[in-house]
Amino acid sequence: MEFQSYFPIWDKLSRTQQERILESLACRQVEKGTVIHNGSADCVGLLVVRSGQLRAYILSDEGREITIYRLFDRDVCLFSASCMLKSAQFDVAIEAEKDTWLWVIPAEVYRQAMEDSAPLANYTNEIMAARFSELMWLVEQIMWKSMDKRVAAFLLEEASIEDTPRLKLTHEAIARHLGTHREVVTRMLRYFQDEGMVRLSRGAVEITDRKKLMAL
């Protein structure tokens, strides 16, 4: 089965643990825009991305979003199974940014395997540490970086992900990723355009001077 090659420490699990996971494993196809997991009250299970792209984000009481990290092929999402982590609950939502194929391991099955397997527990801790590092990096950006620098960094990251300088993104979508208001993003993008760094069109932003954007 293809799943084994996507799970890095599969060979370190016992045969019983492997069989239990395979018996409970579900394969799902989710369309772009689908919210797969919606906060700590929702415990979908552990997600393993086969192909596609997911976005993890936090939603404020006022309804503003901010992206905390992305998930790509072979990435594992723990926050969608946060109910198995007794000491912590995370109000993180998971949305498909592209049409995505993924595997789901039920939270209880994964928790039992983790309790019985030191390698799996260590692997889980490594993933959690990496996610918290990304979250702390985001906090630093919000606290210490001006919005023009954050918008510039976001555009460069998106261009790298999509492998194109022309990004099909609305100002509202960029604002959701960065946890700010659309008007703020619009003001920044118009400034970038005046400086020759981007070209704006309906529903799209094209990077025209990557070096200048990187310098910013």
Side-chain angles (χ1 to χ4, degrees):
M1 187 177 179
E2 191 178 7
F3 171 77
Q4 289 92 320
S5 65
Y6 279 70
F7 203 71
I9 63 163
W10 181 258
D11 293 339
K12 295 183 179 180
L13 299 177
S14 69
R15 182 175 295 275
T16 300
Q17 292 162 351
Q18 291 176 346
E19 290 174 352
R20 189 177 298 140
I21 289 173
L22 290 178
E23 287 170 0
S24 64
L25 195 65
C27 187
R28 287 182 58 187
Q29 182 181 19
V30 290
E31 295 182 353
K32 177 181 177 180
T34 302
V35 176
I36 304 166
H37 172 75
N38 193 17
S40 60
D42 183 18
C43 198
V44 176
L46 189 96
L47 306 179
V48 181
V49 181
R50 179 182 176 187
S51 63
Q53 184 175 316
L54 305 179
R55 174 175 79 107
Y57 64 94
I58 299 173
L59 185 66
S60 73
D61 293 338
E62 294 77 27
R64 285 168 59 186
E65 299 175 7
I66 184 165
T67 300
I68 55 175
Y69 60 83
R70 262 65 174 272
L71 295 159
F72 304 97
D73 297 7
R74 298 182 178 273
D75 279 341
V76 174
C77 181
L78 281 176
F79 285 139
S80 55
S82 60
C83 58
M84 72 181 181
L85 304 171
K86 297 177 182 178
S87 61
Q89 296 291 305
F90 304 95
D91 287 321
V92 174
I94 310 294
E95 175 190 29
E97 285 196 299
K98 298 180 179 179
D99 292 344
T100 302
W101 279 95
L102 51 82
W103 288 284
V104 183
I105 304 174
E108 182 59 26
V109 172
Y110 191 86
R111 184 189 63 78
Q112 290 179 353
M114 190 171 61
E115 289 179 353
D116 297 335
S117 170
L120 184 58
N122 291 336
Y123 173 66
T124 304
N125 289 335
E126 288 174 4
I127 295 175
M128 189 60 70
R131 296 306 177 212
F132 273 119
S133 293
E134 291 175 311
L135 185 56
M136 290 307 299
W137 178 87
L138 176 62
V139 170
E140 289 180 359
Q141 300 301 299
I142 295 171
M143 290 180 64
W144 308 119
K145 277 201 172 183
S146 58
M147 185 54 68
D148 58 344
K149 290 179 172 58
R150 291 183 61 207
V151 174
F154 174 78
L155 294 176
L156 290 167
E157 181 184 25
E158 286 297 301
S160 176
I161 291 172
E162 300 299 333
D163 195 26
T164 175
R166 181 173 170 79
L167 307 173
K168 294 181 180 179
L169 285 168
T170 64
H171 299 190
E172 181 67 33
I174 296 172
R176 285 202 306 272
H177 279 290
L178 298 177
T180 189
H181 297 287
R182 178 183 59 79
E183 294 79 8
V184 175
V185 170
T186 297
R187 187 166 64 248
M188 292 298 168
L189 290 176
R190 285 175 178 168
Y191 164 69
F192 289 177
Q193 182 170 249
D194 290 343
E195 293 295 315
M197 291 183 278
V198 305
R199 181 183 299 113
L200 305 179
S201 57
R202 189 174 182 84
V205 179
E206 182 177 359
I207 297 174
T208 54
D209 193 332
R210 187 172 180 273
K211 288 183 179 180
K212 201 169 183 180
L213 205 59
M214 286 184 70
L216 174 64

